[in-house]
Each structure stands twice: as C-alpha cells, then as structure tokens.
Amino acid sequence: MKTKLMLCTSVSVLTLAVSMEAAGKEYCSVKTLKGTYSYSTQGYYVGNPYAESGMESYNGAGNVVNTYTDSLGRANAGDTATYVIGEDCHGTVTYNSGSVYNIYVSPNGDSMTYILTSGDGVIAGTSHRVSNKLILK
C-alpha cells in the first residue's frame, strides 16, 4: 500500500510539473505578445534629435503591423515586421524597412522596452498593451 501511495504521489508531482511547463509556454515566446500596443520613442537619428509615437499590433505568431508619426516625416506612416522572443523574454523585431530592435518583454506581455540595434541611430522607448485585440491589420 505504501509503495502504491508513493507511486501515485510521484505520478501526480510529475503530471503537475509537466502541466506547469506547458502553461509556461505562453510566457516568453511569440505568444506572449498578442494585441495592440502604444509606444513612444526618443533618441538621435543620424546625429539629430528624434521622436516617434505610434501603435503596433502583435498577432501572437511572430508578425507585427505598425502605424506611427515621427519627427522626420511628420506624417502618419506604417510598416510591418516579424519578431521572435526567447525563453528569457528577450527578443528581436525586424521591420521590413530594415530597422532591427532588441526587445525586453514582461512575462505577461503587458509591456516591453526596446532599443535600436541597426543603422545610424540611438533610439529607445517603451511600449504598453492598450488592447488584447488586433486594432491594426
């Protein structure tokens, strides 16, 4: 009886561990970013002061749609991108226009910080989820 009880306990603990690991896959993966985020960016681009504000919709499968206004163009513009996120909640967003950003995502996906890692600029900012829906498509 004691052996049977220990076996049942071991199986229960193993099942719980596997379930917790499976549930954790939503965290720190492309699934973590799902919904629409607003952001504000500041820095320097080609030696000049730079600012940008916008919104991005992350689809939870590695794709982004972006709309923004920056201090250079001073008009609404848009772009698309792909993204990856590792198990440490650090990732990369690569825009079709050529910009690449390192991102650091909160485990629940509500916010992130980012910094430009390509081109001739020093640009960084924060982004916060404003909706669980994909406002931009």
Side-chain angles (χ1 to χ4, degrees), residues 6-35:
M6 286 177 49
L7 179 60
C8 287
T9 302
S10 296
V11 169
S12 295
V13 168
L14 181 59
T15 301
L16 179 62
V18 169
S19 296
M20 288 176 65
E21 183 178 342
K25 297 296 183 192
E26 294 288 319
Y27 294 98
C28 299
S29 72
V30 293
K31 293 179 182 179
T32 305
L33 292 179
K34 185 158 187 184

Side-chain angles (χ1 to χ4, degrees), residues 7-135:
L7 179 60
C8 287
T9 302
S10 296
V11 169
S12 295
V13 168
L14 181 59
T15 301
L16 179 62
V18 169
S19 296
M20 288 176 65
E21 183 178 342
K25 297 296 183 192
E26 294 288 319
Y27 294 98
C28 299
S29 72
V30 293
K31 293 179 182 179
T32 305
L33 292 179
K34 185 158 187 184
T36 300
Y37 298 75
S38 66
Y39 69 92
S40 178
T41 296
Q42 298 81 35
Y44 288 87
Y45 187 73
V46 192
N48 296 308
Y50 180 83
E52 179 181 318
S53 292
M55 293 183 93
E56 296 184 309
S57 288
Y58 288 78
N59 72 351
N63 298 297
V64 184
V65 177
N66 167 269
T67 186
Y68 65 93
T69 300
D70 67 25
S71 58
L72 299 176
R74 299 180 186 254
N76 194 50
D79 202 354
T80 57
T82 58
Y83 68 97
V84 295
I85 301 174
E87 291 180 359
D88 62 355
C89 286
H90 160 257
T92 304
V93 180
T94 305
Y95 290 89
N96 289 335
S97 62
S99 297
V100 179
Y101 287 81
N102 277 358
I103 58 173
Y104 300 89
V105 181
S106 65
N108 66 2
D110 282 343
S111 64
M112 72 182 102
T113 60
Y114 54 86
I115 187 164
L116 180 68
T117 58
S118 65
D120 190 17
V122 179
I123 299 170
T126 59
S127 186
H128 300 279
R129 184 167 26 218
V130 295
S131 175
N132 287 322
K133 296 182 179 186
L134 299 178
I135 295 172

